[in-house]
Amino acid sequence: MKNYFTEHLHVYGVPSGTPSRIGIFSVTVNGYPLGLITERNLWEKPCSFGVFDMEPGYPVTVSIQTEIPFETAALYPLSEGVSLTRSGDTLTYTVDHPINALTLVLNGDYTGETLHIFSNPIDHDAPTESKENLLYVGPGYHNLSAFGGAKPDLPYTSDGTLSLPAGMTLYVAGGAVIDGTIMVNTDDVTIRGSGILMKGEDCAAQTPKSLGICLVTAEAKHIRIENIICHAHRWHNWTVHFWHSEDISVDRIKIFSPVYASTDGIDISNSSHVTVKNSFIRACDDAVAIKGLYGSEYKPQDCLPIRHIHFEHCVLWNDCNNCMGIGAETRASVFEDITFRDIDVIYSYDDRDYHEKLDER
């Protein structure tokens, strides 16, 4: 599916080869078709997302059609104040500025078919090619595992992992999908762009250097992450993990991981000075989990602390376990100065199979 560009609007398709299920929505933005990636939630209902960039002050109209009948429809979070207009089976809304994430729920059924529409401001400083200390990934589907080693235009890939050296910026353009693990175990790294980081393989390992996680920082410092989408197209592993890291700034990211189960959104383990703002997280486990993660041979007082962790102006959704969890594992010298401010929780559910038995959550 192609991308569409005008002076004030960039509408992105889904590149050929991208893993996706069959969805029930079709969307246009100012008449241009929006590409949608679809996954099944734990109730086996199709849930989709798409992304476009727009210029603030230049209104766009989003039109949505669905293959299923519905009586009611609403856009969340309600705090954004965006209303829907219905004409037959077509829903429309208009916005004059980018809204990081809007979620469509039909018939008040949070366990059913849902649509997430992401938007960013147009990046007028977007690169178009790689250069020193800048790795540019352009539109298309890039499966790191298929390369079997280094690929000329992605020189830091090996065995399905893209490891970023110190001082590097990774720019993932709109319309680009990187299927693999992004590993940051150095300092002064930036990851940005309107593209998608995904992990399409089943993987049960949950270690800091696991290939099953979309984005990992491990013993890293001074990391910036902006606008990117992280999507777990598989079960039983986390989506983003900050492990034993410091000074991480996250702004306007989107996480879409509705597959059952153990698909945490953001896990923060023994890290300090982490700020996440203006972001959207949907997970089929903990949306946010803050934990002390060391082996049992370590005494908590000998482990790295967890301090100065701040979430602000975020939208959260979890289909299993906790929306905001602190201390599922507690091997840390201290949990200190952890805040959640101005958070919209669209939906939070314990578990499909044991909901009534998990009252401790």
Side-chain angles (χ1 to χ4, degrees):
M1 188 173 182
K2 65 182 296 186
N3 303 320
Y4 298 90
F5 295 91
T6 69
E7 183 180 1
H8 305 299
L9 178 65
H10 300 168
V11 180
Y12 299 113
V14 177
S16 176
T18 303
S20 181
R21 313 296 184 189
I22 297 175
I24 57 101
F25 296 100
S26 58
V27 180
T28 63
V29 184
N30 280 3
Y32 298 104
L34 179 68
L36 299 177
I37 292 178
T38 300
E39 191 50 84
R40 296 270 173 173
N41 67 10
L42 82 160
W43 292 276
E44 292 299 318
K45 297 296 179 64
C47 303
S48 305
F49 75 87
V51 59
F52 64 90
D53 298 341
M54 64 175 292
E55 193 75 43
Y58 292 85
V60 301
T61 297
V62 177
S63 297
I64 304 166
Q65 289 187 316
T66 176
E67 297 177 3
I68 63 171
F70 62 94
E71 294 183 2
T72 64
L75 281 177
Y76 296 91
L78 297 177
S79 59
E80 292 289 358
V82 180
S83 58
L84 285 164
T85 300
R86 180 174 184 174
S87 177
D89 291 332
T90 300
L91 297 166
T92 61
Y93 69 88
T94 299
V95 291
D96 64 0
H97 63 281
I99 297 177
N100 195 53
L102 286 172
T103 294
L104 175 68
V105 176
L106 300 176
N107 299 318
D109 184 7
Y110 299 94
T111 68
E113 299 85 351
T114 52
L115 173 66
H116 308 279
I117 299 180
F118 307 141
S119 59
N120 297 314
I122 290 176
D123 184 356
H124 294 288
D125 297 321
T128 57
E129 60 183 6
S130 297
K131 57 183 180 181
E132 185 178 4
N133 295 326
L134 171 66
L135 179 58
Y136 170 81
V137 179
Y141 173 62
H142 308 273
N143 186 348
L144 304 186
S145 297
F147 297 155
K151 186 173 183 287
D153 56 344
L154 295 175
Y156 304 103
T157 60
S158 177
D159 300 327
T161 299
L162 184 114
S163 297
L164 300 174
M168 176 64 69
T169 292
L170 170 64
Y171 191 92
V172 187
V177 176
I178 299 178
D179 188 343
T181 293
I182 306 300
M183 169 63 68
V184 181
N185 53 11
T186 53
D187 299 343
D188 301 302
V189 169
T190 296
I191 300 171
R192 65 188 186 94
S194 292
I196 299 168
L197 309 178
M198 72 174 296
K199 194 67 183 71
E201 299 177 358
D202 286 350
C203 182
Q206 291 188 352
T207 65
K209 296 185 178 181
S210 164
L211 294 181
I213 303 177
C214 295
L215 173 60
V216 182
T217 71
E219 298 178 334
K221 294 181 180 180
H222 316 310
I223 309 301
R224 302 292 176 264
I225 305 168
E226 299 174 358
N227 291 337
I228 213 78
I229 299 168
C230 295
H231 165 43
H233 184 77
R234 48 88 188 104
W235 71 289
H236 211 274
N237 216 330
W238 305 339
T239 309
V240 175
H241 189 191
F242 302 139
W243 183 80
H244 297 200
S245 298
E246 186 176 351
D247 185 23
I248 298 176
S249 175
V250 178
D251 191 13
R252 295 185 64 88
I253 73 163
K254 302 90 173 160
I255 293 176
F256 176 81
S257 298
V259 180
Y260 184 75
S262 296
T263 46
D264 289 17
I266 293 180
D267 289 82
I268 300 174
S269 304
N270 302 92
S271 296
S272 297
H273 294 96
V274 178
T275 300
V276 181
K277 61 183 181 180
N278 307 317
S279 294
F280 171 85
I281 302 171
R282 178 174 181 178
C284 197
D285 205 312
D286 301 322
V288 175
I290 300 171
K291 48 183 70 177
L293 201 59
Y294 273 82
S296 58
E297 68 273 20
Y298 292 92
K299 296 180 179 180
Q301 62 265 33
D302 297 328
C303 300
L304 286 173
I306 302 169
R307 52 162 58 108
H308 311 311
I309 311 294
H310 304 300
F311 283 77
E312 184 172 2
H313 192 53
C314 292
V315 179
L316 307 181
W317 173 314
N318 72 289
D319 286 316
C320 180
N321 289 345
N322 304 292
C323 193
M324 294 165 277
I326 301 175
E329 288 86 15
T330 56
R331 294 189 183 275
S333 57
V334 66
F335 285 72
E336 182 178 69
D337 186 24
I338 299 171
T339 62
F340 292 85
R341 292 190 178 95
D342 189 19
I343 305 297
D344 283 291
V345 177
I346 297 180
Y347 186 63
S348 183
Y349 195 77
D350 285 338
D351 187 279
R352 177 191 62 192
D353 301 322
Y354 304 101
H355 182 65
E356 298 302 325
K357 297 181 181 180
L358 298 176
D359 56 347
E360 80 280 2
R361 295 175 181 167

